[in-house]
């Protein structure tokens, strides 16, 4: 396996550029012919050859300016076509053939249930034809698709349809033209038979945009929510950023075979059907949320990604961090609730912190990449969004908007770097972000420690800060970074105190920690206050301050910031979970239990927040708080704490649960919050009284008409292995077995079934006709359900859980390397665990590393995991 890393520091502007491409694609499942005409120009004075990227292509012919290129003038390798002795301006005609039916990697041109579709980001276009497959080469695309119109009533590509003709041989040719120059990763083609939902949107300047949503036949009753979300996104971007859509047509196609969430191809988004198709009986509240945010995300890319794109793939966070930030803000505005922020933070703490402390640690702008697909990570996306959010915090909403305006003014139509983005923010606000840029260069989670001192005589309160970032797999030495801390001080009743200090705080009481240590003094403080130091999770850091239990309880009950309330309760519970796991204590103190009960009974807390406050810390979150973890001791401690808390919560949860039942289904925020809290209550009831929960789950499942509640019933029956579990699972299977998307929920539950029978069960489930390793949604549901959620059995003492995953990874290695490289993640964390787990996990990785034909994707990840 030859896998060489590319370095950010080696970036060179392209030797040639292509400003125009005409593509003709003659569809055939096994033998698609791709003809391309490229207008090529040499950049600058040099005599280097033209080196085009191309993989798995059969070259049929090659012409320059109409002349066949002689053999000795070109040279092919596995991944390139080099043409030498060429002029400064030339037209290159290339004909290749490709085999979409054999393409299970779902990158390039492939078949999804009989429909042709493409996925070109990051480097998939090179599997369609020879090209300069890099984002800083921007060309105008004209695409002619030729196929049988009976079989493919819809033949789509980017931009506007400019011609449709019937050919002499009976085939139809449809031609599309995209007026906006774009990098080839934004190219798309779709051909198939679909149901079509149409709508329109009038932009702020009064242009009518035709909106088209293509779904598999028979699925129109699941398309409305995606369309609504699209219109909401378009309106939101106009309102918040003054950004208007720029073509006359916006198409979204939902496909069943897709590696990621969705893709922002210009004017023709391709979506994983999971993020389009939903109605109340087939989809949960969470699914609806996912659709809103992914539809928003891809739409927002039209400006942050497409109109202004990335110079090179190291700059991925330029578009992804920014666009995730934009979709998070959109969702927050749509629901108007504090819990969105809590849920976003939970992702960072459970997954991003783990990545940043593990073998694949990388800054949001990586410096070295072997396989680009491995860097579509929670670091680049979600930590990237946190970095943008910190700039928003430091500059304020208006300042941030000024920076965005300048960014578009300067760079519309260009391929730029993260530095260009930061420069626009700085210049629009005369704000120095030079130190802040450490966030782009440094991996790892900064740790900020705070101590305090109260002086009653002078009525001063002093906070002392120190920061430190631990070494990561990719970098040993770390510098202090710029950490914005949103502060609050509270009295013993939880009332907010005014902040009087001579040090500069920016809007909203944001203090910038920029040095290794610093001190902040508050004046006129009447008594020792309780500080809130990271309100709204104002920086993606670990913060420690030695709170008393009482202070945490006060914050959780009264703080004016939803995140801080949740964080206080999580901190308190984690304290006792670790205490029990370490064998230091046996029992959760009664005042902690009383605090949870008080929250459950507090009528001033809205339902959505209450549901989060009543949740225990996640296993993943806990794993990121320590090194060398005895996983079974940790799981036992979680069990113990649940058992100790549950009896106290039982009564309130029982009555809350019945009060929360709704006679009518509705998708508004208040109803969603009720369903969410009612699920939290049901799980506490199950912990306290299995028999009662069994009845409640059974009757909820039977009486409910919506997937959210039915899945809540099933999830709890599954987690507690209640008597009704197996009959409910069977009923569900009977009802939905022909519906892959819905069966994903069932597969996931089977994966995380907390039962001794789970291994035998996995075998049965894998043999089901609806389970296909070639379908990423099916594979992920079952495999990640087991390896990332079924801690008890994934970490089974005899190593059988690791071996099961390892086997799936070996199968997926040849089917779909991208998916294999994602699903292997739980094994790569082996250093987190004590022996024998760590040793068994490592042995599985070593076995995989020996595979012949190991993909570049797995090679990079397994290699790093073993060596670091
Ligand atoms: N740019 C896509 C997004 O919106 C990411 C994506 C979709 C992707 N499909 C992919 C990345 C395939 C790599 C490979 O986030
Ligand atoms: Zn994106």
């Amino acid at each position: 396996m030859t896998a060489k890393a590319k370095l950010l520091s080696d970036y060179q502007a392209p030797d040639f550029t292509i400003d125009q491409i005409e593509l003709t694609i003659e569809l055939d499942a096994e033998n698609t012919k791709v003809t391309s005409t490229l207008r090529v120009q040499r950049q600058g004075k040099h005599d280097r050859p033209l080196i085009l990227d191309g993989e798995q292509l059969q070259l049929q012919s090659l012409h320059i300016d109409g002349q066949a290129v002689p053999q000795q003038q070109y040279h092919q390798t596995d991944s390139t076509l080099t043409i030498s002795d060429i002029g400064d301006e030339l037209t290159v005609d290339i004909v290749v053939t490709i085999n979409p039916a054999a393409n299970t990697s779902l990158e390039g041109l492939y078949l999804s249930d009989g429909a042709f579709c493409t996925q070109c980001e990051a480097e998939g276009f090179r599997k369609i034809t020879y090209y300069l497959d890099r984002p800083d080469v921007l060309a105008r695309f004209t695409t002619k698709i030729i196929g049988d119109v009976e079989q493919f009533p819809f033949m789509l590509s980017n931009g506007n349809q400019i011609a449709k003709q019937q050919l002499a041989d009976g085939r139809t040719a449809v031609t599309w033209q995209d007026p906006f120059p774009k990098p080839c990763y934004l190219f798309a083609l779709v051909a198939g038979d679909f149901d079509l939902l149409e709508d329109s949107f009038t932009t702020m300047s009064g242009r009518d945009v035709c909106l088209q949503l293509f779904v598999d036949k028979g699925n129109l009753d699941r398309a409305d929510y995606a369309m609504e979300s699209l219109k909401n996104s378009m309106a939101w971007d106009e309102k918040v950023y003054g950004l208007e859509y720029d073509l006359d047509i916006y198409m979204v196609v939902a496909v069943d075979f897709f590696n990621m969430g969705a893709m922002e191809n210009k004017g023709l988004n391709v979506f994983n059907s999971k993020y389009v198709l939903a109605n109340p009986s087939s989809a949960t509240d969470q699914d609806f949320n996912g659709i809103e945010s992914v539809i928003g995300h891809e739409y927002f890319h039209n400006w942050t990604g497409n109109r202004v794109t990335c110079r090179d793939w190291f700059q991925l966070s330029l578009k992804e961090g920014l666009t995730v930030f934009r979709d998070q803000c959109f969702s927050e505005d749509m629901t108007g609730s504090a819990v969105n922020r809590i849920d976003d933070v939970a992702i960072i703490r459970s997954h991003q912190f783990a990545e940043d402390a593990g073998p694949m640690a990388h800054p949001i702008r990586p410096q070295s990449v072997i396989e680009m697909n491995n860097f579509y990570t929670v670091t680049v996306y979600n930590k990237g969004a946190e970095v943008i959010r910190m700039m928003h915090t430091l500059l304020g909403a208006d300042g941030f908007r000024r920076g965005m305006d300048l960014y578009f003014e300067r760079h519309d139509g260009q391929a730029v770097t993260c530095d260009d983005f930061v420069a626009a923010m700085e210049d629009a606000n005369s704000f120095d972000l030079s130190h802040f840029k450490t966030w782009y260069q440094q991996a790892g989670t900064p740790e900020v420690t705070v101590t305090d001192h109260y002086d009653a005589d002078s009525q001063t309160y002093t906070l002392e800060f120190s920061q430190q970032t631990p070494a990561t797999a990719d970098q040993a030495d770390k510098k202090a970074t710029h950490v914005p801390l949103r502060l609050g001080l509270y009295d013993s009743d939880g009332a907010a105190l005014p902040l009087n200090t001579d040090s500069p705080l920016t809007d909203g009481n944001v203090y910038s920690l920029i040095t290794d240590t610093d001190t902040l003094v508050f004046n006129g403080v009447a008594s020792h206050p309780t500080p809130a130091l990271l309100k709204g999770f104002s920086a993606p850091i670990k913060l420690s301050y030695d709170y008393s239990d009482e202070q945490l309880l006060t914050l959780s009950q009264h703080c004016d910031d939803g995140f801080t309330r949740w964080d206080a309760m999580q901190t308190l519970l984690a304290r006792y979970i670790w205490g029990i796991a370490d064998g230091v204590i046996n029992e959760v103190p009664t005042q902690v239990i009383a605090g949870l009960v008080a929250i459950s009974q507090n009528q001033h807390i809205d339902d959505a927040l209450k549901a989060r406050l009543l949740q225990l810390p996640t296993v993943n979150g806990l794993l990121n708080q320590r090194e060398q973890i005895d996983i079974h001791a940790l799981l036992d401690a979680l069990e113990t704490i649940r058992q100790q808390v549950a009896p106290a919560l039982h009564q309130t949860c029982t009555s809350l649960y019945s009060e929360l039942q709704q006679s009518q289904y509705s998708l508004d925020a208040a109803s969603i919050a009720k369903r969410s809290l009612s699920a939290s209550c049901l799980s506490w009831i199950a912990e306290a009284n299995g028999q009662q929960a069994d009845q409640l789950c059974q009757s909820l499942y039977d009486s409910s008409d919506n997937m959210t509640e039915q899945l809540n019933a099933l999830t709890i029956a599954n987690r507690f292995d209640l008597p009704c579990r197996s009959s409910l699972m069977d009923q569900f299977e009977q009802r939905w077995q022909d519906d892959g998307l819905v069966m994903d929920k069932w597969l996931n539950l089977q994966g995380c079934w907390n039962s001794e029978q789970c291994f035998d069960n996995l075998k049965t489930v894998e043999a089901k006709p609806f389970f296909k390793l070639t379908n990423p949604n099916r594979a992920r549901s079952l495999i990640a359900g087991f390896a990332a959620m079924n801690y008890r059995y994934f970490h089974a003492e005899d190593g059988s859980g690791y071996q099961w995953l390892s086997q799936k990874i070996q199968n997926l290695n040849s089917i779909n390397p991208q998916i294999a490289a994602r699903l292997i993640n739980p094994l790569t964390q082996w250093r987190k665990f004590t022996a024998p787990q760590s040793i068994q996990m490592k042995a599985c990785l070593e076995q995989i590393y020996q595979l012949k034909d190991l993909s570049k994707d797995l090679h990079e990840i397994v290699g790093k995991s073993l060596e670091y």
Side-chain angles (χ1 to χ4, degrees), residues 643-660:
Q643 282 164 11
Q644 289 183 9
V645 171
L649 284 174
H650 183 204
Q651 214 181 356
T652 327
C653 282
T654 300
S655 49
L656 254 184
Y657 179 81
S658 70
E659 285 162 30
L660 287 164

Side-chain angles (χ1 to χ4, degrees), residues 76-237:
Q76 276 179 279
T77 69
D78 272 4
S79 56
T80 56
L81 170 64
T82 302
I83 314 174
S84 23
D85 304 321
I86 51 172
D88 293 344
E89 285 203 6
L90 54 154
T91 300
V92 183
D93 289 296
I94 306 170
V95 180
V96 301
T97 51
I98 53 180
N99 183 352
N103 183 356
T104 55
S105 72
L106 314 186
E107 188 184 52
L109 180 67
Y110 64 94
L111 283 164
S112 171
D113 276 334
F116 283 94
C117 75
T118 56
Q119 171 55 41
C120 295
E121 190 178 3
E123 297 177 329
F125 193 74
R126 64 187 64 188
K127 290 178 159 187
I128 297 174
T129 187
Y130 284 107
Y131 198 72
L132 292 174
D133 189 357
R134 46 187 292 167
D136 56 355
V137 170
L138 281 73
R140 285 201 173 77
F141 278 66
T142 306
T143 307
K144 182 187 278 191
I145 311 170
I146 299 176
D148 173 7
V149 78
E150 299 277 292
Q151 211 184 339
F152 309 114
F154 296 102
M155 294 194 250
L156 315 172
S157 191
N158 317 85
N160 307 306
Q161 186 178 313
I162 55 166
K164 182 168 186 171
Q165 38 178 160
Q166 170 111 48
L167 303 183
D169 59 10
R171 293 182 302 170
T172 298
V174 180
T175 308
W176 293 81
Q177 194 163 52
D178 182 355
F180 292 94
K182 65 168 176 289
C184 64
Y185 83 86
L186 291 172
F187 168 78
L189 174 155
V190 172
D193 194 3
F194 302 99
D195 277 342
L196 171 59
L197 178 66
E198 273 192 296
D199 208 327
S200 71
F201 180 84
T202 307
T203 68
M204 60 188 188
S205 70
R207 277 189 311 104
D208 269 332
V209 181
C210 170
L211 310 178
Q212 299 189 318
L213 191 49
F214 298 86
V215 298
D216 274 359
K217 290 249 151 207
N219 280 306
L220 270 184
D221 65 332
R222 296 190 192 180
D224 295 330
Y225 192 77
M227 183 62 87
E228 268 325 291
S229 301
L230 177 58
K231 290 188 285 182
N232 289 339
S233 311
M234 297 177 89
W236 188 86
D237 221 11

Side-chain angles (χ1 to χ4, degrees), residues 433-575:
L433 290 166
S434 50
H435 189 57
F436 182 85
K437 281 170 79 176
T438 326
W439 287 105
Y440 285 92
Q441 292 137 17
Q442 235 169 232
T445 307
E447 297 174 359
V448 173
T449 304
V450 186
T451 55
D452 63 352
H453 171 72
Y454 179 68
D455 188 282
D457 291 343
S458 59
Q459 306 249 304
T460 56
Y461 178 63
T462 306
L463 290 171
E464 298 202 347
F465 298 89
S466 69
Q467 65 162 309
Q468 177 255 339
T469 302
T472 51
D474 64 328
Q475 295 164 324
D477 298 322
K478 306 288 180 180
K479 292 187 293 202
T481 186
H482 184 159
V483 187
L485 299 168
R486 196 184 291 278
L487 305 177
L489 296 180
Y490 299 88
D491 70 15
S492 56
D493 299 323
L497 302 170
L499 303 189
N500 301 317
T501 175
D502 299 332
S503 305
L505 299 185
T506 47
D507 258 7
N509 294 325
V510 176
Y511 154 74
S512 284
L513 174 63
I514 53 178
T515 44
D516 288 317
T517 60
D518 198 12
T519 302
L520 190 56
V521 181
F522 295 97
N523 305 309
V525 185
S527 63
H528 198 310
T530 294
L533 300 157
L534 193 63
K535 289 173 75 173
F537 196 65
S538 58
I541 59 162
K542 293 183 181 177
L543 187 130
S544 61
Y545 168 83
D546 192 15
Y547 285 108
S548 68
D549 287 4
E550 289 71 21
Q551 286 179 309
L552 290 171
L553 285 165
T554 305
L555 285 175
S556 77
Q557 285 275 13
H558 303 291
C559 187
D560 49 13
D561 175 55
F563 161 76
T564 301
R565 296 177 75 163
W566 172 75
D567 188 37
M569 198 35 109
Q570 295 277 304
T571 304
L572 187 59
L573 292 168
R575 180 176 289 176

Side-chain angles (χ1 to χ4, degrees), residues 589-603:
T590 49
Q591 80 267 20
V592 173
I593 295 178
L596 280 166
V597 173
I599 283 168
S600 72
Q601 294 173 344
N602 186 335
Q603 298 185 352

Side-chain angles (χ1 to χ4, degrees), residues 106-107 119-123 185-186 258-265 270 294 297-298 301 313 316 319-320 323-324 372-376 381 818 822:
L106 314 186
E107 188 184 52
Q119 171 55 41
C120 295
E121 190 178 3
E123 297 177 329
Y185 83 86
L186 291 172
F258 199 78
N259 281 343
M260 304 271 283
M263 181 62 212
E264 70 264 24
N265 316 299
V270 177
V294 178
H297 182 96
E298 306 312 330
H301 266 317
W313 289 120
L316 181 61
K319 72 177 179 82
E320 295 304 346
T323 305
V324 170
M372 191 52 215
N373 285 327
N374 286 336
F375 288 84
Y376 286 77
Y381 275 63
Q818 248 183 80
R822 287 184 181 276

Side-chain angles (χ1 to χ4, degrees), residues 144 152 195 264 339 342 350 375 480 644 705 779 797 823 866:
K144 182 187 278 191
F152 309 114
D195 277 342
E264 70 264 24
V339 300
I342 294 174
S350 308
F375 288 84
Q644 289 183 9
D705 59 353
E797 306 278 357
L823 292 178
L866 286 171

